[in-house]
Amino acid sequence: MNWKVISAIVVLLVVAGFVWFVVDRSANSDYNEPVSEQDLEPSMSPKVGQVKETLAVESEEDYQEEADKAPAPPKQIDGSDRQVREAAGELSPTVADWLVPQHQVRKWVAMIDQMAGFRLPNKNLPVQYPKEPFLVIKTEKGIANDPGNYRRWDPLVSAVTALNPKKVAIYYKKWSPFLESSYNELGNPQSFDNQLRATIEHLLIVEPIPVDTELRRPKVFYEYADPVLENADPLSKWMWRLGPENMKKLQDWLKRLESYL
């Protein structure tokens, strides 16, 4: 299997997968929201979303040449798990180790659907990203996040930001009908394209917080002592856990990707 086939098969992982990797919850982490009973249900909205007909990347001189080289996506979603796992394994054994075996594409589109509404799934997850336990330090104010926690995300953020955003956009364009068809199974009036863009836009507007922000631990999980921060949406809170440097690297990459979309 050549690199173009691999790239095409994992385009969904490239575009959507990084979002889950960023916000993946660890079973060993004490710094997390309690698990809710909410399943991967579609977030209904009265406004019907539209798929963007033309992407900015299509104006690139080599777009048609590169698009012609890209293989077509699978004709149907059923039976595609093996292809995804094999392709991911050839691209990166580490990524392959993170994948949950079954219903990969369905899990990705359902995940993005929830994230577009600033919600986070905790069941039927497409990947499992292992991390070291969350640590805290004592400060004059009380307790705070140990800056060493940010290093848990370094390999992930480096891997994502090393991807060529232009190539991602080219493959996304070619695979868009397949992703929309898979997303339509949810019965949502929005489009996958709309939900993906909404997720990216939200991640881009998140601003960093001080690394010594005070925490408290009323029960099992750590919380922000500042109620404004604690009441922030889950996507923003998990972006903060990357640390300011990793968050900036990821946002810079997302800006480049967005410029091609």
Side-chain angles (χ1 to χ4, degrees), residues 55-161:
L55 305 188
V57 72
E58 295 179 71
S59 65
E60 296 289 310
E61 291 184 0
D62 61 345
Y63 168 76
Q64 195 58 56
E65 178 183 355
E66 294 299 318
D68 290 342
K69 295 177 182 177
K75 294 183 178 180
Q76 60 183 21
I77 188 173
D78 291 334
S80 62
D81 288 330
R82 183 179 59 82
Q83 289 179 283
V84 172
R85 292 197 303 273
E86 290 180 354
E90 292 187 38
L91 182 66
S92 170
T94 301
V95 170
D97 288 341
W98 291 337
L99 299 184
V100 175
Q102 297 180 335
H103 306 299
Q104 278 287 306
V105 177
R106 289 189 176 97
K107 289 175 179 177
W108 287 120
V109 296
M111 179 191 68
I112 289 296
D113 180 60
Q114 287 214 104
M115 288 183 174
F118 309 155
R119 296 185 294 149
L120 295 167
N122 54 61
K123 295 182 180 180
N124 301 320
L125 307 178
V127 297
Q128 293 177 339
Y129 178 69
K131 306 185 298 293
E132 294 297 322
F134 180 82
L135 301 175
V136 299
I137 57 175
K138 293 183 178 180
T139 68
E140 294 180 356
K141 299 178 181 178
I143 56 175
N145 169 59
D146 185 338
N149 291 323
Y150 302 144
R151 291 194 295 270
R152 302 181 303 170
W153 302 105
D154 289 352
L156 169 63
V157 174
S158 295
V160 170
T161 55

